[in-house]
Amino acid sequence: MKRFFALLLTLLLVMPAIALGEANDYGNYTSDFTAGTDGWYARSAGEAAVSVSGNALTITGRNATWNSPGRDFNLLPGKKYKISVQVLQSSEANVEFMISAAHSKNGLESYENLGKAKAPKGCWITVNATYTPAEFDNYILYVETVGHGTVDFSIRNFKVELDELYFNTSLPSLAEIYAPYFDLGAAINQSQALDANRMAFCDHQFNILTHENELKPDSVLDISASRNLAKEDDTAVAVHFDAAKPMLDFCQANGIKVHGHVLVWHSQTPDVFFREGYKSSGNYVTREVMLARMENYIRQVFEYTEANYPGLIISWDVVNEAVADGSTQLRESNWTKVVGQDFVNRAFEIARKYAPEGVKLYYNDYSTPYEPKLTGICNLLDSLIADGNIDGYGFQCHYSTTTPTPTQVRNAMQKIAAKGLLLRVSELDVGISNTSDVNLTAQANRYVDLFKIFMDYADQMEAVQVWGLTDDRSWRGDEFPLLFDDRCMPKPAFYSVVELVNGTK
Ligand code: 9MR
């Protein structure tokens, strides 16, 4: 009790001078002591004091084991944390250190020892701990010794990391914040669509979703059923939507829009789709048969989705990535080989014929800002506009923090906007090589620079969609490109994109 009152007194004296540990919604916290004490203070009723030098914090003047460097944290009760710190002592042969937690409930302080390790004289060692806080009014994490109540010691690299998924639906909602400008969405795959907690989080953050893979031809085409039908009619096509259903059902039940991706693409489209009898040994079919298959495929996709999910899919990528890299020409593919150079125009013509009224038809591509591809894309768009079957252009935007430059992005957006098309950012992500503070900040700034451009085109911009929810499920496996980390904690990029609209960025 004496200790409690002594500590309380010290805290009351010291508190106004220290920065209270900030609400740590990001779930990760590191003190590297590059910028002062960072809110750490000496837990002591006596002489103990902390000072910082050489990226370490040292405590001197201790006269009890609990005299220790400590810091206030906002921890989430019931969530699992990993905590680690390096410690150094140069007084005794061996000193055991503990990471401990102090907390109070109704004004009564209590303590827990979370993890221990022994430090031989003169060696930095790491103390590790895991901690699942119970419901307390406040939390202090501190580093104390077992015995050896008077030795000076230093700590560095104190880390707290949330160690589990946390779908926090009390965060600001991007869809709400960006509602005055455009829809805000993401791509989600089937296994994520089957995870109720993840989807509740998506529902909170986004108002439009796209299947990452499940509405692509390799997912929708039923090759063995098509093979059977082809015995009678080689233009017949069988389709199924088993993989796409979970997300369609969720979106339908929760009033989330869907952008369809993709009807015609050179990739993720089985080669047998282009062959007689759908057999790998078959010759490629004629242009006429292939156009009939294209029509049967597109017709059935629209028929099924409109019959089962009326009004849900508001727009479609009719054709994806038809223009070759570093060129103004179409890329060579089974589509150009079997149908010819007009396959994109034919796809739009067919899509327009069967699309429910009001459904917007997009051409979608990547590397838009780079010439000569930009010219190739513009030429293709001009010919589609002349046919009268296209509504918009989808910018994929799989970028790094530096390329393409904002000027290149703006220039491309301007060129395409000037054609009077609707725009969408269909597949946004920004890769970084690791999650250092410097990189996370560069990524956040990059997202802001891009969103500024997107907002300048808000009149034509229908939606901005990130290509995934959490970094660990991104197609860019090692590049941490999204707004939420592996545990679905918002990254600096998320907060920056929020602050951009709140006017604080
Ligand atoms: O994110 C998709 C990934 O899961 C697939 O393995 C990959 C296969 O082609 O397709 C990814 O999505 C692509 C999208 O459909 C079109 N633009 C590029 C995307 C990233 O590769």
Side-chain angles (χ1 to χ4, degrees), residues 356-494:
E357 211 176 322
V359 168
K360 305 293 184 211
L361 303 181
Y362 281 84
Y363 173 69
N364 192 54
D365 214 330
Y366 64 91
S367 292
T368 320
Y370 300 117
E371 290 292 7
K373 187 166 178 174
L374 176 56
T375 298
I377 290 170
C378 286
N379 293 345
L380 179 61
L381 292 176
D382 288 342
S383 107
L384 295 168
I385 291 167
D387 291 349
N389 296 318
I390 186 171
D391 296 304
Y393 180 71
F395 291 78
Q396 290 194 8
C397 301
H398 297 294
Y399 291 163
S400 78
T401 53
T402 50
T403 57
T405 64
T407 310
Q408 286 174 309
V409 175
R410 194 179 281 279
N411 168 57
M413 207 152 273
Q414 181 53 37
K415 267 207 161 122
I416 293 175
K419 298 180 187 301
L421 290 172
L422 296 173
L423 309 173
R424 64 192 338 273
V425 169
S426 51
E427 305 180 16
L428 175 62
D429 52 25
V430 174
I432 49 178
S433 54
N434 61 52
T435 54
S436 67
D437 287 352
V438 171
N439 280 344
L440 288 171
T441 304
Q443 184 182 53
N445 293 340
R446 173 66 155 170
Y447 267 100
V448 164
D449 289 345
L450 291 170
F451 267 77
K452 279 182 181 161
I453 300 171
F454 305 157
M455 288 162 83
D456 285 345
Y457 290 92
D459 286 352
Q460 282 162 272
M461 186 69 72
E462 292 280 281
V464 172
Q465 294 192 231
V466 280
W467 199 245
L469 176 65
T470 52
D471 281 341
D472 59 326
R473 311 286 185 95
S474 162
W475 73 291
R476 297 173 81 176
D478 307 333
E479 293 184 87
F480 319 97
L482 295 167
L483 299 174
F484 299 94
D485 74 5
D486 295 5
R487 296 143 311 140
C488 206
M489 297 307 288
K491 294 162 64 184
F494 170 84

Side-chain angles (χ1 to χ4, degrees), residues 212-225:
E212 186 177 3
N213 288 303
E214 294 76 11
L215 279 179
K216 292 174 178 174
D218 65 352
S219 184
V220 170
L221 270 172
D222 185 338
I223 292 296
S224 65

Side-chain angles (χ1 to χ4, degrees), residues 52-211:
V52 167
S53 93
N55 297 348
L57 177 116
T58 299
I59 184 159
T60 53
R62 300 171 69 231
N63 60 22
T65 56
W66 63 273
N67 287 181
S68 55
R71 187 183 188 279
D72 299 28
F73 285 87
N74 282 316
L75 302 176
L76 299 161
K79 296 284 162 200
K80 187 173 164 206
Y81 290 91
K82 268 194 311 202
I83 307 170
S84 64
V85 64
Q86 291 178 289
V87 295
L88 172 74
Q89 62 85 22
S90 304
S91 314
E92 313 267 337
N94 248 304
V95 174
E96 192 167 27
F97 286 89
M98 290 194 288
I99 299 173
S100 300
H103 28 58
S104 56
K105 186 98 192 158
N106 305 324
L108 250 195
E109 194 166 53
S110 54
Y111 310 92
E112 286 174 272
N113 304 124
L114 310 178
K116 290 182 190 177
K118 282 191 179 132
K121 188 172 183 172
C123 295
W124 283 104
I125 57 110
T126 302
V127 190
N128 290 300
T130 56
Y131 184 36
T132 305
E135 286 269 0
F136 283 99
D137 299 335
N138 68 312
Y139 305 91
I140 301 164
L141 296 176
Y142 59 101
V143 185
E144 61 180 332
T145 55
V146 179
H148 304 283
T150 58
V151 299
D152 299 344
F153 66 90
S154 301
I155 66 169
R156 67 182 187 192
N157 285 328
F158 186 94
K159 290 190 179 161
V160 180
E161 272 180 309
L162 195 65
D163 199 23
E164 61 176 75
L165 279 162
Y166 178 37
F167 297 110
N168 182 357
T169 49
S170 58
L171 290 170
S173 156
L174 291 174
E176 267 174 37
I177 290 172
Y178 278 90
Y181 300 94
F182 30 69
D183 287 339
L184 224 298
I188 293 296
N189 67 25
Q190 187 189 6
S191 80
Q192 297 172 56
L194 291 166
D195 176 341
N197 293 329
R198 187 174 281 262
M199 292 312 282
F201 185 81
C202 284
D203 187 18
H204 177 65
Q205 284 298 334
F206 306 117
N207 61 353
I208 186 161
L209 293 176
T210 288
H211 296 80

